[in-house]
Amino acid sequence: MIQRRSNLPKADDPKEYNLEESTLVGPPLPGEVIVSKTVDQLIDVLAAELVATAVICVRKFGDFHLALSGGNTPQPLYERLMYDPNCRNLPWAHTHLWLVDDRCVPLDDDRSNFKMINETIGTHSGIPAEQVHPIAAMSETADTDYESQLRQALQHREAGEDRLDFVLLGMGHDGHTASLFPQQEVLHERVHIVRRVEAEQADPPWRVTMTFPLINAARMVSVLVTGSAKAPMIQRLASGHETVDELPIKGVLPVQGELKWFLDAEACGHGD
Ligand code: 6PG
């Protein structure tokens, strides 16, 4: 069973959220919170949202700009997009596939986000090769090059619609998202939409990442968080008062788009 809750954080209402199996009410996070009992059910909903957004965008603009994250959490979603008959409507022929971030390793390195995403989606979806946009993360100019590619690919759209259509984010145990790690100056970037960053706590430390001005301009930002290991961070986000410097994911606040959290019961602190 799925329950949606739409709310804004209320400073004067820091009450603990409660998720019971029968109600599946999510924690109070900014935007819409979608909670499912299992990862599989959650991915059903997320995949359906993604396909619906893609169909609408292709109808409106002739193309769909999708930015995907790396990490382990979204892999079942990427696989689902390939085999589930309900995902067949995804218009891959008109889709541009972007990377939210990547590690500064060669594209065939096992740590490369592009490698994982391309092996799962790129080669099986039928997406035209020129619409797949890896970050050339080993290059010193990877950030400015990627920024130019993005601007060029979106320039045919009218002002205001020249933005990413769907950004899928994950969240690390330390509250990072994309390669936006705690206490990094890039969290306050206002001009550049892609940056090359060094985060000592990350492995590998050098990354290239989309920044908040790009992420928060998107039509739809979805944050997928699953598993009990992420529950303490979800709890902190829901009830704490930390800053973006402490918990970078707090900087995800779309300006003229939608924010949706996709959480399984375990991420909400409710295991079996
Ligand atoms: C990356 C990601 C990163 C990821 C989180 C969560 O390159 O690793 O883009 O932001 O989403 O670290 O990763 P997991 O899903 O593996 O926990």
Side-chain angles (χ1 to χ4, degrees), residues 69-74 101 103 113 170-172 176-179 207 230:
S69 288
N72 297 316
T73 312
D101 65 324
R103 298 97 190 260
N113 287 341
M171 183 187 77
H176 83 260
T177 191
S179 282
R207 312 278 179 114
K230 303 276 173 75

Side-chain angles (χ1 to χ4, degrees), residues 60-174:
K60 256 179 126 170
F61 310 116
D63 57 12
F64 172 58
H65 289 266
L66 170 66
L68 297 180
S69 288
N72 297 316
T73 312
Q75 289 183 24
L77 168 70
Y78 302 160
E79 286 159 18
R80 178 73 73 87
L81 293 176
M82 294 303 101
Y83 72 73
D84 188 337
N86 292 323
C87 299
R88 277 196 197 126
N89 287 342
L90 211 158
W92 287 110
H94 300 283
T95 296
H96 282 256
L97 180 55
W98 302 93
L99 273 284
V100 168
D101 65 324
D102 214 337
R103 298 97 190 260
C104 293
V105 296
L107 293 179
D108 61 357
D109 188 295
D110 284 339
R111 294 167 297 172
S112 159
N113 287 341
F114 176 75
K115 181 175 190 243
M116 181 274 285
I117 292 169
N118 195 44
E119 280 177 354
T120 314
I121 294 178
T123 48
H124 302 289
S125 60
I127 184 172
E130 65 276 15
Q131 291 167 206
V132 179
H133 304 280
I135 299 174
M138 295 299 282
S139 158
E140 289 287 324
T141 57
D143 48 359
T144 50
D145 292 348
Y146 211 55
E147 177 156 349
S148 305
Q149 272 188 58
L150 277 156
R151 291 189 191 280
Q152 202 177 340
L154 290 164
Q155 71 180 0
H156 73 94
R157 292 196 181 182
E158 65 184 63
E161 297 297 357
D162 49 348
R163 55 182 176 160
L164 291 168
D165 297 309
F166 196 105
V167 176
L168 180 76
L169 298 175
M171 183 187 77
H173 301 104
D174 58 355

Side-chain angles (χ1 to χ4, degrees), residues 1-266:
M1 189 204 290
I2 292 150
Q3 180 151 341
R4 291 164 186 251
R5 167 186 180 142
S6 189
N7 55 15
L8 290 171
K10 295 190 188 91
D12 56 344
D13 182 22
K15 62 177 179 291
E16 290 290 297
Y17 59 89
N18 182 26
L19 178 78
E20 286 171 10
E21 217 176 84
S22 55
T23 57
L24 291 179
V25 173
L29 299 171
E32 184 174 349
V33 181
I34 295 155
V35 183
S36 292
K37 193 175 170 203
T38 68
V39 173
D40 217 44
Q41 289 166 344
L42 189 63
I43 283 175
D44 274 347
V45 192
L46 176 49
E49 289 266 2
L50 202 160
V51 173
T53 309
V55 169
I56 290 168
C57 288
V58 170
R59 207 174 288 151
K60 256 179 126 170
F61 310 116
D63 57 12
F64 172 58
H65 289 266
L66 170 66
L68 297 180
S69 288
N72 297 316
T73 312
Q75 289 183 24
L77 168 70
Y78 302 160
E79 286 159 18
R80 178 73 73 87
L81 293 176
M82 294 303 101
Y83 72 73
D84 188 337
N86 292 323
C87 299
R88 277 196 197 126
N89 287 342
L90 211 158
W92 287 110
H94 300 283
T95 296
H96 282 256
L97 180 55
W98 302 93
L99 273 284
V100 168
D101 65 324
D102 214 337
R103 298 97 190 260
C104 293
V105 296
L107 293 179
D108 61 357
D109 188 295
D110 284 339
R111 294 167 297 172
S112 159
N113 287 341
F114 176 75
K115 181 175 190 243
M116 181 274 285
I117 292 169
N118 195 44
E119 280 177 354
T120 314
I121 294 178
T123 48
H124 302 289
S125 60
I127 184 172
E130 65 276 15
Q131 291 167 206
V132 179
H133 304 280
I135 299 174
M138 295 299 282
S139 158
E140 289 287 324
T141 57
D143 48 359
T144 50
D145 292 348
Y146 211 55
E147 177 156 349
S148 305
Q149 272 188 58
L150 277 156
R151 291 189 191 280
Q152 202 177 340
L154 290 164
Q155 71 180 0
H156 73 94
R157 292 196 181 182
E158 65 184 63
E161 297 297 357
D162 49 348
R163 55 182 176 160
L164 291 168
D165 297 309
F166 196 105
V167 176
L168 180 76
L169 298 175
M171 183 187 77
H173 301 104
D174 58 355
H176 83 260
T177 191
S179 282
L180 301 165
F181 287 86
Q183 311 299 345
Q184 298 280 311
E185 161 275 326
V186 68
L187 298 172
H188 301 283
E189 176 63 56
R190 292 286 170 268
V191 177
H192 296 291
I193 58 175
V194 183
R195 284 276 309 272
R196 198 162 183 273
V197 294
E198 183 185 19
E200 279 172 10
Q201 65 269 56
D203 178 30
W206 281 99
R207 312 278 179 114
V208 178
T209 183
M210 290 184 175
T211 62
F212 285 133
L214 179 60
I215 293 168
N216 286 335
R219 169 181 314 279
M220 166 78 77
V221 180
S222 296
V223 189
L224 174 63
V225 184
T226 61
S228 55
K230 303 276 173 75
M233 184 51 70
I234 291 292
Q235 175 103 41
R236 262 178 83 186
L237 279 174
S239 54
H241 300 281
E242 283 94 341
T243 62
V244 172
D245 290 295
E246 291 162 321
L247 302 182
I249 197 147
K250 291 191 85 165
V252 179
L253 292 168
V255 184
Q256 284 187 317
E258 285 183 77
L259 171 59
K260 295 190 183 184
W261 295 80
F262 291 85
L263 310 175
D264 73 341
E266 287 193 358

